[in-house]
Amino acid sequence: ERDRALPPPIPTLIGEIGAVANVYDNLMSGSPSRPPMPPDTTLQAIRSAAGTHLNRAVVVAFLRVVPVYPLGTEVLVRSERYRGFSGLVTRVNVARLDKPTILLLHDAQGNTIAPVELNLNTEPDLEIRCKGL
């Protein structure tokens, strides 16, 4: 997937790997002119840049090992009976990095609730998003 028709210098594979990691870090960290992005939005931006600005094969490999919702990430439920509820990622599913186990801690009005654990791997219709940073 590396374009050898590019004018010199042709990027090295290690440089292309570093570029993906650098973009991830920069988007997650933010800058003085731009706030940090949540992990799910960051990975979508990287996915969108695959094949144009970033090596597609490196991005595919990166997306196989980086969880969409890392451990401890605050999430908001956007569907089903828990719409508007929020909580934390308590377990990453290594077989499905987009389907973690979450612990709901607040209802749609922001009130503290008795914790509810949900495994998104067994709740296929439940959609979540990272809460804004």
Side-chain angles (χ1 to χ4, degrees), residues 67-77 86-105 115-123 126 128:
V68 177
Y69 305 99
L71 193 63
T73 300
E74 290 186 78
V75 294
L76 181 67
V77 178
S86 62
L88 298 173
V89 173
T90 58
R91 191 173 309 126
V92 172
N93 178 353
V94 295
R96 288 290 311 269
L97 295 173
D98 61 333
K99 299 289 185 182
T101 297
I102 62 173
L103 189 65
L104 297 179
L105 301 170
V116 176
E117 186 174 70
L118 299 171
N119 179 340
L120 272 61
N121 202 40
T122 60
E123 301 267 354
L126 201 64
I128 62 171

